Structure formats: structure tokens, C-alpha cells
């Protein structure tokens, strides 16, 4: 069973060679960067943090099914196999895949370890790192089982938090390498880091005795992980849930207005389908929402509205949603059930009408709340003058960019499994990212420095919306 599950996930043609090579490169670069800048304890903390970060994000993303209900559970349950054997096989598969990902980071870390690490310490670094990564996987499994009872929103918040935590921790840690060099293991804050617990057994290979309390915490975490994995609390199969949410209720007037004046009759089926189904697709939400939240967070953290350059960062923030559009549109075709598209494929709707309805649904369901949220943030933090002057121009640019990108072709909505999206990305939208980012950055800076008043942006936004409505009226 383990061989069959591994064949379906990572063996053969599905082996993530590029992902593993990327982890080797990332871990090698980070370890080579810090090995001379921090002491032995600081290096061990960095070395243990890398596999934690590089496995937690995939486990909540593309490898999420490993921690979720088995889609083939009913079919496999008809075979002459005991339930506990199925659970054991799933746990073994999880440990094998996570271990493979962790070794891609731990082996380069051990090879590049400072001179204080002997051969035994380097081997222990790999072994302890594996134990730590497996323990974190058990914790994620327990969290997924708990959050499955709370709905998809809780899972989205978890992945967004992990994704942002990894980015903030990476950038913050690189800026504090000198403080890592001063660590001696007695700092009270280290008790909160599981990496420090598992680095404690290595202390005897440098100087001094291992920290008994840290050793106990590491042992307790391993014992708890063994208990969780022995129970194997994989969530139950998801049940049908309503697609209505607080955001969809808030956007209902905008949706009704769009259907009234903007969406053509032949586009309404596609519009309603994408508007309702896309936010309910777990793979779409878990990949796009954290990706959009991360740059916004860094822009906000780095902007000081009392300074001129801080105001410029808020100008970039207003134009940022249009720059994220390629990444959002890349995942519009993603779905876990592409077989269900026969309902759309057999409907008397042409490709042009389907694309038009899908583009307008993306504008109403995703772009509108994003622009309203960003505009409200800039209004509160940077002042209404900047918001009123630049927000309408940014919204108009977003609508135009959406039309341009959709014209390049992104694939039928909700038609493709996530692992098959790479070709659509490279063929359709990949080439537009760099040029679009540069153009929007230049436009944001130019509008911030040169736009004399708010009336120009509002006039342009009105013209774009009038053109859209007029185009919808034509048959």
C-alpha cells in the first residue's frame, strides 16, 4: 500500500525533482551565508528552521492531501485490508515524503556546517532535523483534523499565517545574524523554539553540557508526535457546504448591479458559476490568498506615511493588485474535480461568452474587495488625499490589465488539476509578469509624483466603466 501511495504522489513521473533541487539550492545558499556569521548553536537553529519552513508550506499547499481525507477511501475500504493498516500506510507515506523533503535541506546543512561540527555532530544534525520535521508534521496533521471541523476559512488562515511567518522569519533572521552569534543557550526566549529543543543534544559536541530542560521538551514533543501518528487523526471526507460567506453577502449588491448593467445574458451562466464556485475551491484559495497577502504585508510594514518615501510605498500598494493578477488568474482553472465540468461543456455557451463571464466574475468577486480593502487601508493610514488622488486610477488600471491578461488565454475556469497548471502558466501568463510589474511600478511612481488632482483618475475610471457597460449592451 505504501508503494502504491508513493507511486501516486512522488514516484516515477511525479517525482518533484525541480522542487527538491530548489530546496537543495535554497538550503545551501542560506547555510553558506550564515555559517561564518553565527556560532554553532545559531547555525543549528538556522539549519533546523530551513526544513521546517520548506516542508510546512508544501504540506498545507500542494501536498495538502497527505494531511486530509483520502478521496479513494471508499474504494480502498472495499478491499480486504484492515482500517488500521490503511492508517499505518498513510502515516508511512507521509513520513517518507516529509523525510525526503527534509533531507533535501538537512544534507546540505550538514555538509556546510562550521568546523565545530565533527562527523558525529553532522550526522546528528541530520537525524535530529528529521525528528523535528516529523514532529512538526504530526502537529500539522492534528491541526488539520481540528480545523476541518471549523470549515475552509480556518485552513486558509492557518496557511496564510504559516506562509507569512516563514517570509517574515526569513527576512528578520537574516537581519539579526549577529544576535545568533551571541547565543549561549541560556536565553529564556529559546524555550519557545522547538529548534532549540532539538539542538540541545548537540551542545555536548561543542562546549558545556546539554540543557536538561530542552532535552525533556524535545523528548516530550517526539513522544507526543508518536502518539498523534499512532492515532492517525486524518480528517473525515469533506461534506457539502454552502458557498455563501460573509464576503459574498457584502458583495451581493455589487453582484446584482453587475448582472444588471455589465454582464451579458449569454455570460450570466459562466459569471454565476465562477463567482460562486471559485472561492469554494480549496486549492485556489490556499494558493492565491497567502500569495496576495504577503507583498501587501511587507509594503505596509515598510511604509511610514510621515515620510515622503513611505507615501510612495502606499502608492505602490494601491497599484499592487493589478500586479498580482497573473498569479491569481493562473489558478482560475484549478479544481479538484475537473470531471464535473461536463455540466458547463455541454451547455450551449461559446468560449467567448464563458471567458467574458469568468473575467467579470473575477473582477466582482476578487478584484473589487481587494481594491476596496487596499483603498480603505491607505485612506486610514496615509490619508484621504493620497487615496482619492490615486485609487481611482489604480482601479481603472486593474480593469484594463484584467482584460489584457484574459485576452492572452488562461484556460477554461475550474477545468484543470493543480499539478497540471504549469503548462498553462508558461504558455499564457508567465511572460507577462516581469513586464507588468515594471510597468505598474513606473506608473505608480509617476502618478504619485505627477498627477495634479483626483479628477483625472476619476475621469479615467468613469471612462473605463462606461466602455465596459457600453460593450455589454452591444450584441
Amino acid at each position: 500500500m505504501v508503494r502504491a501511495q508513493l507511486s501516486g504522489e512522488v514516484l516515477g513521473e511525479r517525482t518533484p525533482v525541480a522542487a527538491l533541487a530548489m530546496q537543495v539550492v535554497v538550503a545551501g545558499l542560506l547555510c553558506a551565508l550564515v555559517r561564518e556569521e553565527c556560532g554553532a548553536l545559531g547555525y543549528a537553529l538556522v539549519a533546523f528552521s530551513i526544513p521546517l519552513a520548506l516542508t510546512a508550506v508544501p504540506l498545507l499547499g500542494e501536498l495538502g492531501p497527505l494531511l486530509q481525507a483520502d478521496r479513494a477511501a471508499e474504494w480502498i475500504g472495499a478491499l480486504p485490508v484492515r482500517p488500521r493498516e490503511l492508517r499505518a500506510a498513510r502515516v508511512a507515506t507521509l513520513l517518507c515524503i516529509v523525510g525526503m523533503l527534509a533531507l533535501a535541506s538537512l544534507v546540505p546543512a550538514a555538509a556546510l556546517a562550521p568546523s565545530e561540527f565533527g562527523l558525529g555532530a553532522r550526522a546528528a544534525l541530520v537525524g535530529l532535523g528529521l525528528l523535528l520535521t516529523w514532529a512538526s508534521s504530526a502537529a500539522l496533521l492534528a491541526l488539520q483534523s481540528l480545523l476541518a471541523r471549523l470549515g475552509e476559512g480556518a485552513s486558509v488562515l492557518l496557511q496564510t499565517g504559516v506562509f507569512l511567518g516563514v517570509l517574515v522569519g526569513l527576512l528578520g533572521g537574516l537581519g539579526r545574524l549577529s544576535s545568533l552569534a551571541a547565543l549561549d543557550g541560556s536565553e529564556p526566549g529559546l524555550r519557545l523554539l522547538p529548534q532549540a529543543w532539538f539542538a540541545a543534544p548537540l551542545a555536548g559536541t561543542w562546549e558545556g553540557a546539554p540543557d536538561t530542560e530542552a532535552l525533556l521538551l524535545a523528548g516530550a514533543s517526539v513522544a507526543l508526535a508518536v502518539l498523534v501518528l499512532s492515532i492517525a487523526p486524518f480528517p473525515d471526507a469533506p461534506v457539502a457546504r454552502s458557498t455563501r460567506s460573509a464576503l459574498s453577502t457584502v458583495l451581493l449588491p455589487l453582484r446584482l448591479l453587475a448582472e444588471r448593467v455589465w454582464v451579458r445574458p449569454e455570460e450570466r451562466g459562466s459569471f454565476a458559476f465562477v463567482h460562486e464556485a471559485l472561492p469554494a475551491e480549496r486549492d485556489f484559495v490556499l494558493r492565491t490568498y497567502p500569495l496576495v497577502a504577503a507583498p501587501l504585508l511587507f509594503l505596509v510594514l515598510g511604509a511610514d506615511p510621515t515620510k515622503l518615501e513611505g507615501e510612495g510605498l502606499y502608492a505602490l500598494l494601491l497599484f499592487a493588485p493589478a500586479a498580482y493578477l497573473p498569479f491569481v488568474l493562473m489558478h482560475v482553472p484549478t479544481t479538484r474535480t475537473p470531471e464535473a465540468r461536463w455540466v458547463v461543456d455541454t451547455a450551449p455557451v461559446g468560449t467567448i461568452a464563458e471567458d467574458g463571464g469568468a473575467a467579470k466574475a473575477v473582477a466582482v468577486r476578487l478584484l473589487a474587495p481587494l481594491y476596496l480593502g487596499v483603498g480603505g487601508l491607505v485612506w486610514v493610514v496615509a490619508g484621504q488625499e493620497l487615496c482619492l488622488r490615486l485609487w481611482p486610477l489604480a482601479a481603472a488600471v486593474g480593469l484594463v490589465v484584467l482584460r489584457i491578461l484574459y485576452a492572452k488565454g488562461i484556460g477554461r475556469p475550474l477545468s484543470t488539476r493543480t499539478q497540471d497548471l504549469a503548462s498553462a502558466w508558461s504558455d499564457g501568463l508567465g511572460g507577462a509578469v516581469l513586464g507588468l510589474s515594471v510597468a505598474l511600478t513606473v506608473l505608480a511612481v509617476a502618478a504619485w509624483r505627477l498627477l495634479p488632482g483626483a479628477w483625472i483618475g476619476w475621469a479615467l475610471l468613469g471612462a473605463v466603466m462606461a466602455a465596459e457597460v457600453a460593450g455589454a449592451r452591444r450584441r
Side-chain angles (χ1 to χ4, degrees):
M1 283 186 291
V2 175
R3 188 187 308 115
Q5 290 176 347
L6 288 175
S7 299
E9 295 289 346
V10 296
L11 296 182
E13 296 181 354
R14 293 181 177 270
T15 302
V17 177
L20 293 174
M22 183 201 72
Q23 294 209 22
V24 171
V25 172
V26 170
L29 289 176
L30 290 176
C31 291
L33 180 64
V34 305
R35 66 189 304 266
E36 301 297 338
E37 300 293 333
C38 56
L41 177 58
Y43 183 84
L45 295 178
V46 173
F48 287 155
S49 299
I50 294 173
L52 279 185
L54 296 182
T55 56
V57 174
L59 275 177
L60 295 175
E62 57 268 23
L63 295 177
L66 291 175
L67 302 178
Q68 299 162 16
D70 190 356
R71 295 177 56 195
E74 293 184 1
W75 179 81
I76 297 177
L79 300 176
V81 181
R82 297 174 182 174
R84 67 171 179 269
E85 294 173 341
L86 291 176
R87 290 195 298 269
R90 289 198 66 191
V91 169
T93 303
L94 171 65
L95 295 180
C96 287
I97 295 176
V98 171
M100 178 178 64
L101 294 174
L103 288 175
S105 305
L106 291 169
V107 171
L112 294 171
S115 57
E116 294 94 329
F117 287 76
L119 184 60
R122 294 172 191 266
L125 183 72
V126 175
L128 292 170
L130 271 176
L131 285 177
L132 173 60
T133 310
W134 282 334
S136 67
S137 301
L140 287 177
L141 177 59
L143 273 177
Q144 284 281 61
S145 181
L146 175 63
L147 295 178
R149 305 175 184 272
L150 303 178
E152 295 295 334
S155 299
V156 173
L157 289 177
L158 174 64
Q159 173 150 356
T160 304
V162 170
F163 186 73
L164 296 180
V166 168
L167 289 180
V168 173
L170 174 63
L171 297 181
L174 291 177
R176 293 175 173 81
L177 293 180
S178 58
S179 61
L180 290 177
L183 293 176
D184 59 6
S186 62
E187 292 79 6
L190 289 180
R191 292 291 181 272
L192 303 177
L193 294 177
Q195 300 94 310
W197 308 343
F198 286 82
L202 295 172
T205 64
W206 310 317
E207 55 185 22
D211 187 340
T212 305
E213 185 178 349
L215 288 175
L216 291 176
L217 288 172
S221 63
V222 171
L224 184 60
V226 171
L227 176 62
V228 170
L229 293 175
S230 63
I231 299 174
F234 292 100
D236 296 329
V239 297
R241 297 178 183 270
S242 172
T243 57
R244 186 170 298 279
S245 63
L247 181 59
S248 64
T249 303
V250 171
L251 293 176
L252 182 59
L254 182 61
R255 173 186 176 175
L256 296 177
L257 178 64
E259 289 180 332
R260 176 80 175 177
V261 303
W262 188 24
V263 181
R264 296 183 179 184
E266 63 270 22
E267 296 173 343
R268 287 178 182 172
S270 174
F271 175 85
F273 174 59
V274 176
H275 187 280
E276 294 291 339
L278 193 61
E281 280 289 344
R282 177 186 176 91
D283 290 340
F284 173 82
V285 171
L286 291 181
R287 281 161 178 79
T288 56
Y289 287 14
L291 196 63
V292 169
L296 295 178
L297 174 67
F298 285 116
L299 277 175
V300 172
L301 291 178
D304 184 355
T306 62
K307 299 180 180 179
L308 187 62
E309 60 271 19
E311 192 177 82
L313 284 176
Y314 281 108
L316 291 176
L317 181 62
L318 287 170
F319 284 83
Y324 307 148
L325 268 177
F327 301 102
V328 174
L329 295 181
M330 170 192 175
H331 291 95
V332 169
T334 188
T335 180
R336 292 191 178 184
T337 56
E339 302 85 0
R341 251 198 71 91
W342 69 268
V343 178
V344 180
D345 292 335
T346 56
V349 178
T351 302
I352 296 177
E354 184 181 357
D355 285 347
K360 293 171 183 178
V362 170
V364 173
R365 192 65 172 84
L366 300 174
L367 269 190
L370 186 56
Y371 271 108
L372 291 174
V374 169
L377 176 65
V378 173
W379 179 293
V380 172
V381 179
Q384 63 181 20
E385 189 278 331
L386 181 69
C387 180
L388 292 175
R389 184 162 58 94
L390 297 182
W391 182 87
L393 177 61
V397 169
L399 283 173
V400 173
V401 170
L402 175 65
R403 281 296 190 184
I404 293 174
L405 292 178
Y406 235 98
K408 294 178 66 67
I410 63 170
R412 304 279 71 78
L414 302 166
S415 64
T416 310
R417 296 192 186 277
T418 305
Q419 57 266 33
D420 299 329
L421 290 177
S423 59
W425 167 250
S426 59
D427 296 340
L429 299 174
V433 174
L434 181 60
L436 181 62
S437 301
V438 173
L440 289 173
T441 301
V442 172
L443 180 59
V445 174
W448 165 53
R449 300 301 296 266
L450 303 177
L451 201 65
W455 66 270
I456 297 179
W458 287 105
L460 182 59
L461 177 60
V464 171
M465 295 180 67
E468 289 283 345
V469 172
R473 293 297 180 185
R474 292 195 302 269
R475 294 291 180 266

